[in-house]
Amino acid sequence: MRIAIASDHAATDLKAELAEWLIDQGHEVADLGPDAGQSVDYPDYGYKLAEVIAEGTVERGIALCGSGLGISIAVNRNPVVRCAVVSEPLSAALAREHNDANCIAMGARLIGIEMAKSCVATFLATEFADAGNPSGRHQRRVAKLGHPPDGSDTIEPLQ
């Protein structure tokens, strides 16, 4: 599988370990940076990761920062990308199975390398529940993620 990985300066060590492990697993990995020792802004790398996912250059993405939160927000600015913050294999599986996530984010200050590997392995191995079923309930919901309402649609409040 073709996978891109990007981080901020807080997660370069985790990024390097995961990239090496993924290559050892037989995946093609694009390390989008940064190099260790550089202080960088996570949005720059989140946007770069989202771009290669949206273009179809890679099939999946892994976004890393100190908490996983900031970079995931940046990645999710692209409407084609669905990035879920995960911290254990169940959330990684559900992100793929129910949300057809094409990217996961993790926090280097919150997760160890073995748990990160478990999350990535689960994320890569899990199929979308509605793959090949354009009328499935998960597919219907995922389609809405890339097309937010323009404001003319309203939801009536509960009484």
Side-chain angles (χ1 to χ4, degrees):
M1 186 176 294
R2 292 172 301 147
I3 302 162
I5 188 167
S7 72
D8 71 356
H9 54 275
T12 56
D13 290 344
L14 180 60
K15 177 175 61 78
E17 288 186 68
L18 285 174
E20 183 178 327
W21 174 74
L22 286 164
I23 291 167
D24 289 345
Q25 299 292 310
H27 298 286
E28 182 181 326
V29 178
D31 184 338
L32 303 180
D35 295 327
Q38 293 178 283
S39 180
V40 300
D41 297 330
Y42 59 80
D44 298 335
Y45 289 87
Y47 297 149
K48 185 188 270 191
L49 179 59
E51 184 177 332
V52 298
I53 295 168
E55 290 172 348
T57 306
V58 298
E59 298 162 80
R60 300 277 194 289
I62 301 169
L64 307 166
C65 68
S67 67
L69 299 170
I71 199 165
S72 72
I73 293 168
V75 172
N76 279 318
R77 296 285 186 217
N78 188 312
V80 176
V81 182
R82 294 170 303 282
C83 182
V85 179
V86 302
S87 57
E88 42 31 67
L90 179 58
S91 58
L94 291 172
R96 281 288 307 133
E97 187 178 346
H98 291 190
N99 309 117
D100 197 18
N102 47 16
C103 185
I104 57 171
M106 295 178 285
R109 294 181 178 135
L110 306 175
I111 194 168
I113 183 62
E114 293 307 317
M115 184 59 75
K117 287 177 183 178
S118 293
C119 290
V120 171
T122 301
F123 172 68
L124 297 177
T126 304
E127 294 294 325
F128 178 46
D130 285 344
N133 181 7
S135 61
R137 68 175 193 211
H138 297 298
Q139 180 59 51
R140 182 181 71 246
R141 295 167 184 158
V142 168
K144 289 181 179 183
L145 293 173
H147 304 286
D150 61 7
S152 62
D153 295 333
T154 59
I155 298 173
E156 295 297 321
L158 294 174
Q159 300 293 339

